Amino acid sequence: MSSALTDLCRYPIVQAPMAGGASSPQLAAAVSEAGGLGFLAAGYKTADGMYQQIKQIRGLTSRPFGVNLFMPQPGATDPAAVEVYRHQLAGEAAWYETPLGDPDSGMDDGYEAKLAILLDDPVPVVSFTFGCPKRDVLQSFAKAGTFTVVTVTSPEEAQAAQRAGADAVCVQGVEAGGHQGTHRDDPAADGSGVGLLTLVALIREAVPLPVIAAGGLMRGGQIAGVLAAGAAAAQLGTAFLVCPESGANTLHKQAMTNPLFVRTELTRAFSGRPARGLVNRFMREHGPYAPAAYPQVHHLTSGLRKAAAKAGDAQGMALWAGQGHRLARELPAAQLVEVLAAELDSARAALALDAS
């Protein structure tokens, strides 16, 4: 691990920021207390909501933690395509007895207000998804003593992060659950994502920045694998989703190991951006027709997803999950960190023994 990352956590284990409620203050604090690096997802929260949860984390741990921000999205979406999708979802609105949301509810996720708070009252780590901040933003965080991470899905994006002055990159393989953190949403590139181990190797050759590897990681042996491939740390999301401290809906947690859900796919059905989740009815029926329109589609389906959860209908929910979801273990977050660390030690010892 690079010295900067070593100072942040005892183990090379990062809890992924999972927007939508899973990354609770309790989860982030528990992971950090146990020696990992916990993360709060600021996406879909107001600036004040983010700040209140940061205060909660600080009340639960004195260890370093991170906050993840969504980058503002360009407005070049076809309104007609969104309107067509709205009509397609009319049956869902009638079924769940809830209106569809306003697709024009906002494009920037309160980005500037969140930046102002994080620069005024700095946290140890800030990461960015769906793009790369401007150089002056990253310089401001450097002056504030904040370690910055940019999520990347290609060597070109990693080079952009390096040029902008990021301290590290989070390399997200196609196996990862939830949204793909591509800097530019190009429908022509759908289905062309690169697997994590290959992507780590490509990016290690492209930039000298420390790499945090993310995508389908559920066991300590897998962490050992990405560290051997050149990563400084591993980021796990689905593994922590089922922890009791996670704020994910109970139906979502149960679905991870429910034999009814046998596979994951990337879909635009729920948000208009490619995101990996368990294949359910909503994804099968609407995924093929969803436009490339984020966050408009996210706003449009938000009420439907909440209504499905309230009705106890997992077939209408966005069940974000990585490819390793069947390996989920329902353990308290601190215990999971310790188990992962022990598995990592065992895998390293076995590799050393084989090499001797």
Side-chain angles (χ1 to χ4, degrees):
M1 294 177 72
S2 72
S3 59
L5 281 173
T6 304
D7 292 342
L8 290 169
C9 47
R10 186 162 74 251
Y11 304 124
I13 298 170
V14 179
Q15 167 246 313
M18 296 171 281
S23 297
S24 68
Q26 292 76 18
L27 177 62
V31 171
S32 289
E33 275 291 293
L37 181 65
F39 252 94
L40 178 71
Y44 308 137
K45 292 182 174 71
T46 64
D48 183 64
M50 175 196 76
Y51 183 58
Q52 295 304 321
Q53 292 203 336
I54 289 172
K55 289 201 294 185
Q56 288 183 51
I57 295 175
R58 286 172 169 154
L60 294 168
T61 183
S62 59
R63 297 286 304 155
F65 64 93
V67 174
N68 175 259
L69 300 181
F70 284 170
M71 293 296 297
Q73 297 301 291
T77 297
D78 181 4
V82 177
E83 188 60 25
V84 169
Y85 196 53
R86 170 189 281 280
H87 285 296
Q88 183 180 332
L89 296 177
E92 299 283 350
W95 176 257
Y96 290 115
E97 298 180 337
T98 191
L100 294 170
D102 177 6
D104 299 317
S105 296
M107 297 292 290
D108 68 355
D109 199 50
Y111 178 72
E112 294 294 341
K114 290 171 183 174
L115 283 184
I117 288 172
L118 292 169
L119 289 169
D120 182 62
D121 191 1
V123 299
V125 187
V126 172
S127 69
F128 300 87
T129 300
F130 301 150
C132 182
K134 294 179 180 177
R135 187 171 185 83
D136 63 331
V137 171
L138 294 177
Q139 286 177 336
S140 295
F141 277 115
K143 290 176 183 175
T146 297
F147 188 88
T148 54
V149 182
V150 173
T151 303
V152 300
T153 61
S154 70
E156 294 75 20
E157 290 176 354
Q159 288 167 338
Q162 181 191 8
R163 288 194 299 270
D167 293 313
V169 287
C170 178
V171 174
Q172 185 193 44
V174 73
E175 306 94 332
H179 284 96
Q180 290 287 292
T182 50
H183 292 190
R184 178 173 166 267
D185 184 15
D186 179 8
D190 282 5
S192 63
V194 179
L196 181 58
L197 283 175
T198 299
L199 194 56
V200 167
L202 288 168
I203 287 175
R204 285 281 292 150
E205 294 211 357
V207 298
L209 296 176
V211 164
I212 300 170
L217 305 177
M218 303 290 289
R219 294 286 188 266
Q222 292 174 292
I223 297 173
V226 294
L227 296 184
Q235 179 172 284
L236 294 77
T238 304
F240 286 104
L241 182 87
V242 298
C243 293
E245 297 91 345
S246 159
N249 185 281
T250 301
L251 289 171
H252 193 170
K253 294 181 179 183
Q254 293 171 344
M256 293 301 107
T257 52
N258 185 336
L260 184 66
F261 301 103
V262 297
R263 61 191 174 88
T264 65
E265 280 185 8
L266 288 168
T267 185
R268 294 179 182 271
F270 297 101
S271 73
R273 228 183 193 276
R276 183 173 298 282
L278 299 174
V279 177
N280 61 4
R281 178 194 62 78
F282 194 102
M283 190 188 295
R284 285 192 299 269
E285 292 183 2
H286 301 294
Y289 312 103
Y294 176 88
Q296 291 90 343
V297 172
H298 163 77
H299 296 315
L300 197 64
T301 67
S302 178
L304 294 178
R305 289 177 275 126
K306 291 174 183 174
K310 188 175 181 181
D313 182 10
Q315 295 295 336
M317 297 168 60
L319 303 173
W320 303 138
Q323 287 184 341
H325 64 95
R326 298 301 290 271
L327 297 171
R329 298 176 283 199
E330 196 175 338
L331 298 172
Q335 185 179 347
L336 179 56
V337 171
E338 295 295 340
V339 168
L340 289 167
E343 291 173 345
L344 171 59
D345 285 344
S346 295
R348 282 173 154 171
L351 287 170
L353 188 63
D354 289 342
S356 62

